[in-house]
Amino acid sequence: MRKPKNHAFRQIGKNKTNPQNGFSLVAFPLKSRTLPQNEGQKVRYGFIGLGHLGRFLAGSLIKAGFSVTVNDLDRGNAEQLITAGAIWADDPQAVAEQVDAVITCLP
């Protein structure tokens, strides 16, 4: 995978050599939490997979002040996040269309 300039990459999980094992590779801007083409505007994150870990991680983004659009097979998993300010999307494609970066937390 080609890494964009000015981004740091961090893989979540124990096995860092096999990206097919369900672990996610996430890019973070190095200099700021804003997009270069939209100075002053925070990154809009999408979060797919709201199990025990996913709910916690998406909640942390919301608490940090980011706009977070969420999706899960069970909307009930998202209710607490929606109350906290998350935006619900009916399917993963809708998440991707509304955000700048998508994070997945899947089994």
Side-chain angles (χ1 to χ4, degrees):
M1 170 161 85
R2 188 170 158 247
K3 296 180 182 178
K5 293 181 180 180
N6 300 323
H7 282 71
F9 284 80
R10 183 171 72 198
Q11 188 167 8
I12 302 169
K14 294 179 182 177
N15 185 347
K16 298 186 186 314
T17 59
N18 183 2
Q20 301 301 320
N21 63 4
F23 296 101
S24 299
L25 184 67
V26 181
F28 298 95
L30 285 177
K31 294 183 180 180
S32 70
R33 293 180 177 181
T34 62
L35 296 175
Q37 67 270 24
N38 299 326
E39 279 302 319
Q41 194 175 14
K42 284 191 175 183
V43 177
R44 296 169 302 162
Y45 286 103
F47 211 99
I48 300 170
L50 302 172
H52 297 294
L53 180 61
R55 260 181 288 186
F56 172 76
L57 296 174
S60 294
L61 289 170
I62 293 167
K63 287 178 188 173
F66 289 99
S67 171
V68 180
T69 301
V70 297
N71 176 264
D72 192 77
L73 292 175
D74 179 6
R75 185 182 169 120
N77 289 342
E79 291 302 330
Q80 199 172 22
L81 295 171
I82 293 168
T83 301
I87 300 163
W88 173 257
D90 289 328
D91 57 49
Q93 180 178 349
V95 172
E97 291 171 349
Q98 297 177 39
V99 300
D100 302 307
V102 176
I103 302 169
T104 61
C105 191
L106 304 170

